[in-house]
């Protein structure tokens, strides 16, 4: 539809809504909200087809005024944060499942490369993991405690240090999306290679099972959420490379906002992973069934929240829309 036809079709509705918001408390609240929803739909259409036009500027201004009128005196619900993680984010994230798949594929390929390289070249391990870490771990293996490194430091200190570092890595994976998806792909790839070399190191020393039983207690959530943070970076990076019908600036702003939502969603999971590493992983003598219960529960939590739950919630939401 041409812009002039779009304006002609909706002009009277916009003028009526503009008068309604100027009347403030004298307007029916339900009618005001309905008008606001229609306006945001028109705004979204204009952003897609009439980017940087005067129509878009007008609708942006009108939507901003309406938002202030409607929500100025509205108290924020105490459950707003819970609502974000319970409903708003899962509904939103379903559209980026394919991007998550790409992030996982990049990481998986890099991990395989790290494994193969570590098996075929012992020097590769020291290049990736560093001499200090390799030497300390070799000493721990000789003592019969391959994961004794996780016992270093206090429980609270380890929890805080690991959590902060993991969140830093996640935001780094996201931030590198500023230099397009290639930047985030590099972070995913380098972390994948490191993981591959890391687990292969224990395999070459004959302690693969003992070590991985402990490592994946916290690593299941930690690695999964790094991949999800990589998905956030790809969202932002792709918005630069593939703006679709938006201008590149508008597309980037939308991609950055969407990517940031994804990164923010990972913070509670990094806290859980940090807690497990600080308070649980250090106890290498726990029964196998308990270790596998924690690992399996962690994997279920990630898969359900980021994959299954968004699908289920979106289907339920679509059914509600069809009923109305």
């Amino acid at each position: 539809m041409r812009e002039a036809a779009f304006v002609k079709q909706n002009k009277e509705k916009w003028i009526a809504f503009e008068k309604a918001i100027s009347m403030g408390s004298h307007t029916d609240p339900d009618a005001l909200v309905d008008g606001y929803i229609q306006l945001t739909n028109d705004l979204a259409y204009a952003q897609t087809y009439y980017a940087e036009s005067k129509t878009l500027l007008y609708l942006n201004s009108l939507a901003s005024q309406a938002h202030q009128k409607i929500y100025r005196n509205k108290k924020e619900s105490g459950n707003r944060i819970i609502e974000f993680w319970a409903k708003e984010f899962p509904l939103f994230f379903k559209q980026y499942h394919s991007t998550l798949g790409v992030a996982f594929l990049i990481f998986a390929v890099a991990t395989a490369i790290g494994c193969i390289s570590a098996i075929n070249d012992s020097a590769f391990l020291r290049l990736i993991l560093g001499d200090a870490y390799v030497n300390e771990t070799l000493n721990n293996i000789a003592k019969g405690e391959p994961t004794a490194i996780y016992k270093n430091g206090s429980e609270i200190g380890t929890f805080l240090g690991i959590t902060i570092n993991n969140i830093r890595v996640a935001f780094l994976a996201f931030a590198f999306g500023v230099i397009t998806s290639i930047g985030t792909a590099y972070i995913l790839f380098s972390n994948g290679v490191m993981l591959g070399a890391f687990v292969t190191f224990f395999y070459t020393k004959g302690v693969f099972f003992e070590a991985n039983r402990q490592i994946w207690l916290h690593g299941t959530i930690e690695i999964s959420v790094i991949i999800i943070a990589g998905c956030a970076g790809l969202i932002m990076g792709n918005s630069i490379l593939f703006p679709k019908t938006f201008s590149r600036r508008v597309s980037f702003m939308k991609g950055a906002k969407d990517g940031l939502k994804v990164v923010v969603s990972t913070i509670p999971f990094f806290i859980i992973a940090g807690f497990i590493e600080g308070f649980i992983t250090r106890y290498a003598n726990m029964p196998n069934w308990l270790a596998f219960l924690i690992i399996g529960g962690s994997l279920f939590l990630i898969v359900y929240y980021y994959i299954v739950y968004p699908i289920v919630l979106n289907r339920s939401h679509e059914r509600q829309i069809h009923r109305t």
Side-chain angles (χ1 to χ4, degrees):
M1 183 187 299
R2 291 182 178 276
E3 184 180 356
F6 176 70
V7 172
K8 183 178 180 181
Q9 178 179 308
N10 296 286
K11 183 178 179 180
E12 290 184 7
K13 177 178 66 178
W14 297 339
I15 292 173
F17 182 70
E18 191 170 7
K19 289 179 179 178
I21 62 173
S22 66
M23 292 172 66
S25 59
H26 300 289
T27 304
D28 177 26
D30 291 334
L32 197 61
V33 171
D34 288 341
Y36 180 67
I37 292 171
Q38 292 180 38
L39 178 67
T40 55
N41 289 336
D42 292 340
L43 175 60
Y45 186 89
Q47 287 174 331
T48 303
Y49 296 104
Y50 316 120
E52 301 182 6
S53 67
K54 290 183 179 179
T55 302
L56 179 59
L57 290 175
Y58 168 75
L59 291 176
N60 260 323
S61 175
L62 186 57
S64 178
Q65 293 175 47
H67 186 275
Q68 290 176 18
K69 288 281 185 181
I70 295 171
Y71 297 102
R72 180 176 54 191
N73 299 318
K74 181 178 179 294
K75 293 183 178 179
E76 284 291 337
S77 168
N79 295 325
R80 178 67 183 86
I81 295 177
I82 295 174
E83 184 182 343
F84 171 80
W85 270 280
K87 187 174 181 180
E88 181 181 330
F89 176 78
L91 279 171
F92 151 82
F93 188 63
K94 167 66 171 58
Q95 65 185 303
Y96 290 118
H97 273 178
S98 60
T99 308
L100 178 62
V102 172
F104 174 78
L105 184 62
I106 293 170
F107 194 88
V109 169
T111 301
I113 291 172
C115 290
I116 295 169
S117 300
I119 289 174
N120 291 285
D121 184 2
S122 58
F124 182 77
L125 286 167
R126 293 184 177 274
L127 176 66
I128 297 297
L129 303 178
D131 288 333
Y133 180 85
V134 171
N135 292 336
E136 183 176 355
T137 304
L138 286 173
N139 290 332
N140 291 333
I141 292 172
K143 296 174 184 176
E145 295 182 302
T147 58
I149 197 167
Y150 293 111
K151 296 181 180 180
N152 294 342
S154 67
E155 293 174 339
I156 294 178
T158 300
F159 162 58
L160 292 175
I162 291 297
T163 300
I164 292 171
N165 180 68
N166 287 340
I167 292 174
R168 182 190 65 81
V169 172
F171 273 91
L172 186 66
F174 167 63
F176 264 56
V178 170
I179 53 176
T180 74
S181 307
I182 297 172
T184 294
Y186 167 76
I187 297 295
L188 285 170
F189 192 85
S190 60
N191 277 274
V193 169
M194 188 178 297
L195 175 66
F198 181 66
V199 297
T200 303
F201 176 40
F202 293 105
Y203 171 78
T204 60
K205 300 305 175 184
V207 291
F208 181 79
F209 176 79
E210 297 91 331
N212 279 276
R213 188 191 66 160
Q214 300 304 119
I215 292 165
W216 289 104
L217 287 171
H218 62 272
T220 302
I221 292 179
E222 187 176 292
I223 296 302
S224 298
V225 181
I226 286 175
I227 294 171
I228 293 163
C231 169
L234 292 179
I235 291 170
M236 181 164 66
N238 288 344
S239 72
I240 301 171
L241 294 176
F242 312 109
K244 297 181 181 178
T245 57
F246 296 100
S247 68
R248 204 170 296 277
R249 180 181 64 82
V250 171
S251 177
F252 171 71
M253 291 173 64
K254 180 180 182 299
K257 181 181 178 182
D258 287 356
L260 186 60
K261 276 187 179 181
V262 176
V263 175
V264 169
S265 79
T266 66
I267 293 176
F269 295 96
F270 276 127
I271 293 173
I272 294 171
F275 177 84
I276 294 173
E277 187 166 354
F279 292 90
I280 299 176
T281 301
R282 63 181 59 233
Y283 297 109
N285 59 346
M286 73 171 62
N288 286 337
W289 67 266
L290 179 57
F292 290 126
L293 180 64
I294 295 172
I295 293 169
S298 298
L299 182 61
F300 174 81
L301 178 64
I302 291 293
V303 171
Y304 181 78
Y305 183 72
Y306 282 99
I307 299 176
V308 178
Y309 185 50
I311 294 173
V312 172
L313 198 60
N314 271 271
R315 286 177 180 172
S316 174
H317 187 64
E318 286 172 4
R319 284 196 293 268
Q320 289 176 4
I321 291 174
H322 289 318
R323 289 196 194 103
T324 58

